[in-house]
Amino acid sequence: MIVAIARQVAESLAAEASAAHPRECCGLLLGTPVRIVSVVAAANAAADPHRSFEIDPATLLRTHREARGAGSAVIGHYHSHPNGNGEPSRRDAARALEDGQIWLIIAGGALSAWHWRGAFVPAELAID
């Protein structure tokens, strides 16, 4: 599967990950199952933000509510891996619950895309 994202959005994610380093940045993806239209950054509420991420619950609820009101949808999550590994971790898999969600991982300045279908399946990321 191919997931499209605007170059400006991809660049903003790389900049966010760089600014957060050595902590993980995180946030929500909005759009359709095949196109990321925008992102909403969230505070990392994890107990150890250097090794994990947890999207701030208030941001999560507010973003879902606002997306519904605007006729949009939260289609997934993004976070960074300061260790440079662009593959989902076991911790990521333990937190992935909703089939069809897109997960973007920013690592080493690069973005990788994954679909959750009971397991992570790599997706091609088309930056336009």
Side-chain angles (χ1 to χ4, degrees):
M1 172 170 254
I2 299 173
V3 177
I5 185 171
R7 181 167 306 285
Q8 180 180 4
V9 175
E11 289 172 354
S12 74
L13 291 173
E16 182 181 345
S18 179
H21 193 274
R23 297 172 320 279
E24 292 192 19
C25 70
C26 61
L28 300 161
L29 307 171
L30 288 95
T32 70
V34 295
R35 181 157 192 76
I36 299 164
V37 174
S38 63
V39 298
V40 175
N44 185 345
D48 183 1
H50 292 87
R51 300 189 54 188
S52 184
F53 82 97
E54 181 180 334
I55 293 173
D56 170 64
T59 303
L60 181 65
L61 292 172
R62 184 183 72 248
T63 303
H64 275 277
R65 184 176 54 249
E66 289 174 356
R68 278 192 308 271
S72 185
V74 174
I75 57 168
H77 311 86
Y78 71 87
H79 69 285
S80 61
H81 281 181
N83 65 9
N85 184 347
E87 293 189 13
S89 67
R90 283 179 283 169
R91 193 174 299 121
D92 294 337
R95 291 194 170 151
L97 301 174
E98 191 174 336
D99 272 354
Q101 290 279 292
I102 298 169
W103 286 60
L104 282 187
I105 297 174
I106 309 113
L111 274 72
S112 60
W114 305 84
H115 274 101
W116 177 255
R117 305 230 182 266
F120 282 110
V121 177
E124 183 180 336
L125 193 59
I127 300 175
D128 55 23

